Amino acid sequence: MYDIENYYNASTIKEAVTLLKEHPDARIISGGSDVLIKIHEGKMAGTSLVCIRDIKEIKGVDLMESGDIYIGAGTTFSHVTSDPIIQKYIPVLGEAVDQVGGPQVRNIGTIGGNVCNGAVSADSVPTLFSLNAMLRIADGTGGRMIPIRDFYLGPGKVDLHQGDVLTHIVIPGKEYQGYHGHYIKYSMRNAMDIATLSCSVVSKVNPEKKILEDVRITFGVAAPVPYRCVETENAIKGMPLGEELLSKVEEMVRQEIHPRDSWRASREFRLQIGGEIARRALMRSIELAGGDEA
């Protein structure tokens, strides 16, 4: 049984913003893979919903002349994974969202919902952090564009105001061109489970000089919000490819992340896993870039 007070269907971004401002207690719904579960469990019983599923403007993936990639917030995980632009330019994102739930969830769940849910276990988010994604938000007055790193305010809390609608996730061309990435999700089951810990590494290497030119390392479930390992990144940039690089990543990541104890795993276990998956993700990203296997 779903206890829903009112249901409004928006066909345009403008209509969605208007409905949200007219009904301040309403919540956005698209695929419903998160919202309907919360309503069914009684956590959001009696809420009103503004459905944005039929807004065509926020669906699909587009490559702009500038090289920026625009991903509609209403694009389902399955469509992100199979999109030819994603597969060609940022396959790491497609691989990451392909680890969300099962096929049914991936066919209805949207990347925008995954971002706005504010969960640190969201599979798309570590990669979006490592790609320095920007978020385009409509509010009826011109909107705003903000870095995804500024969007997360705390556990389950994001920077959305009354009437705001996330419309697009933007990957600037300079943030993915020449980079390769790899995402690793560690969970207690092999399928259909949220991450116990996750790590996305995006790197740029010089295969001729065998040097790591740039790297971004982001963890999920390692802090109250998605966590970029900036100290580790700065320490290893410019290092030669090899075992010393991988060992340093493993060591520094364990000193930098701040996982917690929970029924899923202890802090100590997450620290151990964190170093290992960061090492493996970096090693794979170097391989994808044509660098020697370190």
Side-chain angles (χ1 to χ4, degrees):
M1 186 70 181
Y2 295 96
D3 184 3
I4 299 171
E5 182 70 19
N6 295 292
Y7 181 88
Y8 309 97
N9 192 63
S11 57
T12 65
I13 295 172
K14 182 179 179 180
E15 186 178 1
V17 170
T18 300
L19 285 168
L20 288 168
K21 290 184 175 181
E22 290 177 350
H23 307 281
D25 294 330
R27 298 288 298 270
I28 289 178
I29 187 172
S30 183
S33 55
D34 286 322
V35 172
L36 290 179
I37 290 173
K38 291 177 181 178
I39 293 174
H40 185 67
E41 292 176 343
K43 296 177 182 178
M44 289 172 53
T47 193
S48 295
L49 300 176
V50 173
C51 181
I52 61 172
R53 182 185 56 194
D54 294 335
I55 302 179
K56 296 180 180 179
E57 304 163 78
I58 61 172
K59 294 184 178 181
V61 180
D62 293 296
L63 177 63
M64 305 301 178
E65 289 185 7
S66 63
D68 297 351
I69 296 175
Y70 275 63
I71 305 169
T75 309
T76 65
F77 299 122
S78 295
H79 286 155
V80 171
T81 300
S82 62
D83 187 89
I85 294 172
I86 299 293
Q87 290 180 347
K88 181 176 181 179
Y89 296 106
I90 46 174
V92 59
L93 181 59
E95 293 163 1
V97 300
D98 202 39
Q99 297 188 46
V100 176
Q104 299 92 336
V105 172
R106 294 194 292 271
N107 284 338
I108 62 168
T110 63
I111 191 168
N114 205 226
V115 170
C116 292
N117 190 37
V120 294
S121 59
D123 286 302
S124 68
V125 176
T127 298
L128 293 175
F129 264 67
S130 289
L131 289 169
N132 288 327
M134 303 290 293
L135 304 180
R136 180 176 287 279
I137 298 170
D139 59 6
T141 61
R144 67 191 196 276
M145 184 92 85
I146 64 171
I148 193 170
R149 64 177 179 272
D150 296 336
F151 187 65
Y152 285 77
L153 306 178
K157 297 180 181 179
V158 295
D159 187 19
L160 284 176
H161 311 143
Q162 186 61 44
D164 281 356
V165 177
L166 172 64
T167 64
H168 293 87
I169 298 161
V170 182
I171 314 297
K174 64 184 178 64
E175 304 296 352
Y176 72 83
Q177 292 165 354
Y179 288 82
H180 295 80
H182 188 58
Y183 173 75
I184 295 178
K185 171 182 179 177
Y186 180 88
S187 57
M188 305 309 288
R189 298 196 305 266
N190 289 332
M192 297 185 68
D193 195 7
I194 66 171
T196 302
L197 194 71
S198 61
C199 179
S200 185
V201 175
V202 172
S203 70
K204 177 188 284 188
V205 305
N206 186 321
E208 295 179 357
K209 295 183 179 179
K210 300 186 184 304
I211 289 175
L212 181 68
E213 292 187 349
D214 193 17
V215 64
R216 299 123 183 208
I217 304 168
T218 309
F219 277 88
V221 207
V225 296
Y227 189 83
R228 272 282 295 271
C229 293
V230 177
E231 292 181 14
T232 302
E233 293 172 4
N234 290 335
I236 64 175
K237 287 177 185 177
M239 284 189 65
L241 307 183
E243 178 58 33
E244 183 180 352
L245 168 64
L246 298 179
S247 296
K248 188 164 186 174
V249 166
E250 190 172 352
E251 177 187 352
M252 290 199 66
V253 158
R254 292 190 179 121
Q255 296 173 2
E256 189 171 357
I257 61 176
H258 308 285
R260 64 183 180 89
D261 287 308
S262 75
W263 66 270
R264 289 184 175 274
S266 68
R267 179 178 185 275
E268 289 73 19
F269 181 77
R270 284 190 167 106
L271 286 172
Q272 177 63 31
I273 292 297
E276 181 62 33
I277 63 176
R279 175 193 177 99
R280 294 186 185 186
L282 176 59
M283 183 167 65
R284 181 57 182 156
S285 73
I286 291 171
E287 292 173 352
L288 290 169
D292 293 338
E293 182 177 345

